[in-house]
Amino acid sequence: EPKSCRCPRCMSAFKEFLRQRYPTKEAAFRRFGYPDVDYLMLTEWDVYNRPQDLETVDDPVLQEWVEFRCRSLARHNGDFYDYIKSLNPNVTVGFNLKGLYGSNRMWLNGVYHPFFDKRCDFMPFDVGGMNSRIDERTGALISEIRSYKMARRRNIVCEERLHDDLHCAVHMAFDGQRRFPGYGLLGGPSQLGGSRVITPLTEFFRHYNDRYFVDVDNVADVAVLRSWPSMAYSIGGTLVPTILMEQVLIQHKVPFDILTDDHLGTIERYGAIILPGQESLSMDAVNRLLAYVRGGGTLVFTGNTADYNQWRERRASNPLRSLMPAEARAKIAVHREGKGRLVYIPEIVPARTRGSSDEFANNPEIEAPGSPGNRRLLPSQWVL
């Protein structure tokens, strides 16, 4: 936004999308306050009504537009995928989706990786400034680890140019390598320039790769849930606690997976599920998570998690916090629920906002995460 298309063809497709999702007058009225989607109008942007001024997407029509754009792009690419495979099933098909960064890619780019499940064999990242390193100014650890984790849960291989030892090590540890009939190994050390790097580490990669890194799955006791409405309908605010919580796990070497809503049926495999500021959850998702806790799991949730339903309508009572002792809601608290535990963390505080003693608090190049005018959490802000 504001560059997404409003032509008659796109508007007609959008209305058909809404009719299929809300086929009855009752369903349409509950969602939009109108019984017929033909009456609905999509926001028109102008100098007085700018998308860059939004902090959250509260208009139900605009919320549906975000999902329509993501699903349309995924379906369009899926048509390419199916057609190419019909010509030659031994061809691997990839899309330049790129990965998970400090911006709302559903809102900005119409890209939501789960919609490409089983319709994408590989994807590159190739985003400038994301090479694995320690930021010299802030000490933040910067890497594509999140992108690898998202891709791996979707069975998508990441193709990267392995330009140095550190990049090679990250790729070796986190990429999900797969063999494709008629093609060979995708994501291995021989791909995209890996053979150009001659160091002891890359030689180790080549020698042991097939034995230890091919056709294997993650072993993780912890998972971070990124729910669609929480991540899509918050322009930047939800990204802050999510990225910083993931950063804690990365830097403290806790193996974890990144899950989305469609993974809620498989969460029993994890010892703990973390909801970092996942403000919008359906009641079905809440009940599924509570059943997991009562069966023996640990659920860690922070801040405003579950304050809203799946349409970002504020709840009268938070179904997770209401289970916590009233006197403990302003501090970190643990509550036994069935065989498991609920752990509540009131707030994840970005490091740079802790006071003037912060080594980069006065750096004019770094805005406060989530502040007006800044809808991105820059890699240099990924500080514990």
Side-chain angles (χ1 to χ4, degrees), residues 88-297:
N88 184 351
N90 292 330
V91 172
T92 60
V93 183
F95 300 110
N96 192 14
L97 301 178
K98 308 190 189 299
L100 298 179
Y101 309 115
S103 59
N104 183 336
R105 301 208 56 220
M106 295 87 91
W107 169 255
L108 293 175
N109 309 119
V111 171
Y112 186 56
H113 296 87
F115 291 164
F116 290 82
D117 208 344
K118 298 180 177 62
R119 289 295 185 276
C120 181
D121 297 330
F122 70 90
M123 67 180 189
F125 301 148
D126 62 17
V127 172
M130 289 300 300
N131 53 302
S132 300
R133 68 189 190 281
I134 302 296
D135 186 274
E136 293 181 356
R137 295 176 299 165
T138 68
L141 171 66
I142 299 170
S143 75
E144 292 272 15
I145 289 175
R146 293 168 184 80
S147 303
Y148 282 112
K149 288 180 179 292
M150 173 61 80
R152 194 157 192 155
R153 289 268 65 86
R154 312 324 308 191
N155 290 314
I156 300 174
V157 173
C158 302
E159 284 288 68
E160 285 278 80
R161 289 179 174 84
L162 307 179
H163 50 74
D164 59 33
D165 271 6
L166 182 56
H167 196 168
C168 180
V170 171
H171 184 87
M172 177 170 58
F174 292 101
D175 196 21
Q177 300 180 46
R178 293 169 57 198
R179 299 187 189 278
F180 287 83
Y183 180 88
L185 181 63
L186 196 61
S190 62
Q191 302 300 317
L192 288 181
S195 59
R196 297 191 308 237
V197 181
I198 307 298
T199 69
L201 180 61
T202 54
E203 287 303 313
F204 173 89
F205 191 2
R206 292 185 190 94
H207 185 74
Y208 290 105
N209 185 71
D210 289 3
R211 187 185 306 178
Y212 295 120
F213 298 104
V214 178
D215 296 326
V216 296
D217 197 6
N218 283 358
V219 179
D221 296 322
V222 177
V224 174
L225 177 67
R226 288 175 169 234
S227 75
W228 162 268
S230 299
M231 305 305 296
Y233 304 151
S234 169
I235 304 300
T238 303
L239 279 164
V240 175
T242 301
I243 287 178
L244 296 181
M245 174 63 80
E246 292 166 349
Q247 194 74 2
V248 168
L249 298 176
I250 291 168
Q251 293 194 221
H252 286 273
K253 303 178 179 62
V254 178
F256 72 99
D257 285 340
I258 292 178
L259 305 184
T260 51
D261 304 80
D262 56 325
H263 291 125
L264 284 173
T266 63
I267 56 178
E268 279 76 15
R269 64 178 284 188
Y270 301 100
I273 304 293
I274 305 177
L275 308 179
Q278 298 299 295
E279 59 186 15
S280 301
L281 295 173
S282 70
M283 204 60 221
D284 286 344
V286 171
N287 289 334
R288 184 69 193 80
L289 291 163
L290 288 177
Y292 158 80
V293 172
R294 289 162 183 151

Side-chain angles (χ1 to χ4, degrees), residues 8 59 71 124 179 198 255 315 328 333 372:
D59 173 14
R71 289 192 180 275
R179 299 187 189 278
I198 307 298
R315 290 188 165 100

